[in-house]
Amino acid sequence: MKNFFTLLLVSVLGGALSLGIYKVAFESETPIIENQSNQPKFVTASYTPSSPSTIDDVSFIEAANKTVHAVVHVKNLTLSSGPSSLFDFFYGNSRQPRAQVGTGSGVIISPDGYIVTNNHVIENSTKLQVTLNNNKSYAAELIGTDPETDIALLKIEADEDLPYLAFGDSDQIQLGEWVLAVGNPFNLTSTVTAGIISAKARDLNSRDNNIQSFIQTDAAVNPGNSGGALVNTRGDLIGINTAITSQTGSYIGYSFAVPSNIAKKVVDDIMEFGNVQMGSLGVRVQDLSTGQGLANGIEESEGLLVGEVFKKSGADKAGVKPGDIIVKIDHIKISKFSDLVGYLRSKRPTDKVQLHLLRDGETIHKTVELLSNSAYVYTIEEIGISVQEQTEAAKDRFNGQAGVLIFDTNNYNSRLGLEGKLLIGINDDKIKNIEDVKSAVAKAQRSGVMTLVFVNQNGERERLIYRN
């Protein structure tokens, strides 16, 4: 008991001693708080509090339900008789034609069964079959094609009106706008993917002669989607899915569609004329976005510099001059060549357009009637060369020498570099104008030999001989 009281007394004395030390060491002085000058300095951009932004919910349900029933599966049967092995190739063994099947998509554009698809989907076909979303199949008739825009028109005969999509106005689409791509990738029917408009008037290969003007999207498109629908959130058809760029052959984030305004115009031409009617301004232009402006002492970086105006063309009659810069056509801003080509492909000969031009620092307006190339260009069909009357710029280049200008050539002659040269003779006939060309060609057809005499940019004469 004595030990217990001794231990209790020692504990009390120890606690009192600890409390005394704490009071002396920590509470004898008032603490000092030092302000630090190295704290981060924030700059307030606005003293007005902003209300939180909201994004409207976008629903694709209505557009998807509307579209899937108007998109069809297209099966293309072709017959190939080529060698199937290296042995057959080297020894020339003949084989029976083999059936090959290709697939793609198409879009019904009228209740009586007209279908638009890609030309490459049905190319070289011997038999076409279309399967609807309800699994009904029909034999399809090829009405017409336009390889340049990669558009083809089919027709099926059904017992009832078919669901279809109306063409929208592709000129009104905006960057960042939501779109749906509907088709049959990998033979999977009625597949819907979503994305946005990534770019407009996209030309995939600026080095070839076929200037394209695609809508670019990031909606997933894969093999089998070709010919399918690109629609906006209202379900309007704004494009025909056509191509992807990929090192693997599958989608990697970029897909391309023919704008609906071009597709509709091609379809209308095929149905009315049997072929595509092209309206032309009648100018040769340079793209300022490639730096051509700086080379010509022009500070503008957007627009198209008019280099030549073709005689008797709509631009010539309207007063367009070399040196003018095309900055706008109707309501379409022109930044590059594909902008102009894409818009003109939705027009026909005799249509009128308004050009907004920069001339000597001022904006002027010219109304131009589009003409067919044949109105001022003559094509020698037998050899695939087109000629036109000399422009003022050409007369300067060739020091006023008589002749006609080589305007265009087919793929074979394009490798010879004939375009832009001056044709001065055919056989023994001198050429001064297009009427001389027509007369000389008629004579050459009877002889079976056509000798063309050219003058190049250096004033040197060249000669080519064509035989039947």
Side-chain angles (χ1 to χ4, degrees):
M1 191 69 169
K2 183 179 179 180
N3 291 337
F4 172 76
F5 284 110
T6 301
L7 180 60
L8 179 60
L9 179 62
V10 171
S11 299
V12 171
L13 290 176
L17 181 61
S18 297
L19 181 60
I21 294 174
Y22 174 82
K23 288 285 186 179
V24 173
F26 294 100
E27 293 188 359
S28 59
E29 297 181 3
T30 302
I32 298 175
I33 301 175
E34 182 179 358
N35 291 321
Q36 300 293 329
S37 61
N38 60 350
Q39 295 297 314
K41 295 181 179 180
F42 296 99
V43 178
T44 303
S46 174
Y47 288 95
T48 303
S50 59
S51 58
S53 59
T54 61
I55 299 177
D56 294 334
D57 291 333
V58 178
S59 174
F60 302 121
I61 297 174
E62 182 179 351
N65 287 334
K66 179 179 177 181
T67 306
V68 292
H69 300 293
V71 174
V72 301
H73 185 264
V74 179
K75 185 179 294 184
N76 169 11
L77 176 66
T78 61
L79 295 178
S80 174
S81 57
S84 60
S85 65
L86 286 176
F87 182 86
D88 294 332
F89 177 80
F90 283 113
Y91 290 96
N93 292 347
S94 60
R95 298 182 59 85
Q96 293 295 323
R98 303 185 313 278
Q100 295 182 336
V101 176
T103 60
S105 303
V107 184
I108 305 173
I109 56 172
S110 68
D112 56 346
Y114 281 98
I115 296 170
V116 64
T117 185
N118 286 143
N119 177 69
H120 74 261
V121 170
I122 54 84
E123 197 170 17
N124 301 321
S125 63
T126 56
K127 184 179 179 181
L128 291 169
Q129 180 179 302
V130 166
T131 303
L132 307 186
N133 193 46
N134 60 9
N135 294 322
K136 290 184 178 181
S137 294
Y138 300 87
E141 175 189 2
L142 177 61
I143 304 300
T145 67
D146 180 38
E148 190 167 347
T149 56
D150 200 12
I151 292 296
L153 182 64
L154 311 180
K155 179 73 165 64
I156 61 174
E157 299 294 339
D159 297 330
E160 69 282 344
D161 286 350
L162 299 174
Y164 67 97
L165 290 181
F167 282 105
D169 186 355
S170 55
D171 287 340
Q172 300 302 318
I173 62 175
Q174 301 293 324
L175 296 184
E177 181 180 347
W178 282 106
V179 289
L180 297 179
V182 184
N184 302 279
F186 309 114
N187 286 329
L188 301 173
T189 58
S190 303
T191 297
V192 180
T193 56
I196 62 169
I197 302 293
S198 304
K200 298 164 62 176
R202 184 71 82 194
D203 184 12
L204 299 185
N205 186 359
S206 59
R207 294 182 295 275
D208 63 8
N209 292 325
N210 183 23
I211 303 300
Q212 301 158 325
S213 188
F214 288 133
I215 299 170
Q216 180 181 328
T217 81
D218 64 353
V221 169
N222 280 290
N225 267 115
S226 291
L230 186 72
V231 300
N232 57 23
T233 53
R234 296 183 300 275
D236 300 327
L237 182 63
I238 60 170
I240 302 298
N241 297 317
T242 297
I244 59 176
T245 56
S246 171
Q247 295 179 343
T248 64
S250 296
Y251 172 78
I252 59 169
Y254 303 97
S255 58
F256 302 90
V258 177
S260 59
N261 286 0
I262 295 177
K264 182 180 185 300
K265 189 263 183 181
V266 170
V267 167
D268 289 343
D269 282 355
I270 289 174
M271 294 180 67
E272 185 172 349
F273 303 103
N275 54 33
V276 176
Q277 307 291 300
M278 293 295 296
S280 174
L281 286 174
V283 295
R284 192 185 302 276
V285 296
Q286 295 175 311
D287 197 337
L288 294 179
S289 65
T290 61
Q292 291 288 341
L294 295 176
N296 291 275
I298 298 172
E299 295 182 358
E300 299 291 333
S301 61
E302 290 187 321
L304 299 176
L305 174 65
V306 177
E308 293 182 277
V309 180
F310 303 148
K311 292 292 184 181
K312 302 179 182 179
S313 68
D316 182 38
K317 296 175 181 178
V320 179
K321 297 180 179 180
D324 289 345
I325 299 175
I326 302 173
V327 294
K328 198 174 182 182
I329 179 169
D330 290 341
H331 58 283
I332 301 298
K333 181 182 177 181
I334 302 300
S335 299
K336 53 189 182 298
F337 192 35
S338 57
D339 292 328
L340 180 66
V341 171
Y343 187 69
L344 291 178
R345 279 185 173 163
S346 67
K347 299 297 180 181
R348 287 179 175 175
T350 72
D351 285 348
K352 293 183 179 180
V353 298
Q354 187 174 63
L355 291 184
H356 302 249
L357 307 170
L358 287 180
R359 180 185 293 176
D360 299 327
E362 296 184 359
T363 301
I364 62 174
H365 305 90
K366 297 291 183 181
T367 300
V368 179
E369 181 179 352
L370 303 179
L371 301 177
S372 170
N373 282 348
S374 60
Y376 55 91
V377 173
Y378 175 70
T379 301
I380 309 174
E381 299 288 353
E382 293 79 4
I383 58 177
I385 290 178
S386 298
V387 297
Q388 65 171 28
E389 304 285 358
Q390 287 191 70
T391 62
E392 294 301 322
K395 289 179 180 178
D396 291 340
R397 284 202 307 271
F398 295 106
N399 299 316
Q401 184 168 357
V404 295
L405 198 64
I406 304 298
F407 168 73
D408 196 14
T409 60
N410 61 16
N411 290 335
Y412 174 78
N413 289 312
S414 65
R415 293 176 292 179
L416 303 176
L418 301 180
E419 193 167 331
K421 294 181 180 179
L422 192 68
L423 176 62
I424 63 172
I426 297 178
N427 290 349
D428 296 327
D429 295 321
K430 293 183 178 180
I431 301 299
K432 297 180 181 179
N433 50 47
I434 287 180
E435 293 303 317
D436 292 340
V437 175
K438 294 178 180 178
S439 176
V441 168
K443 293 179 183 178
Q445 287 174 337
R446 294 191 290 269
S447 67
V449 177
M450 194 180 301
T451 301
L452 306 186
V453 182
F454 307 96
V455 174
N456 63 24
Q457 304 286 350
N458 298 321
E460 302 166 335
R461 292 198 175 198
E462 299 175 358
R463 188 181 301 268
L464 279 175
I465 300 176
Y466 293 87
R467 299 181 186 275
N468 290 343

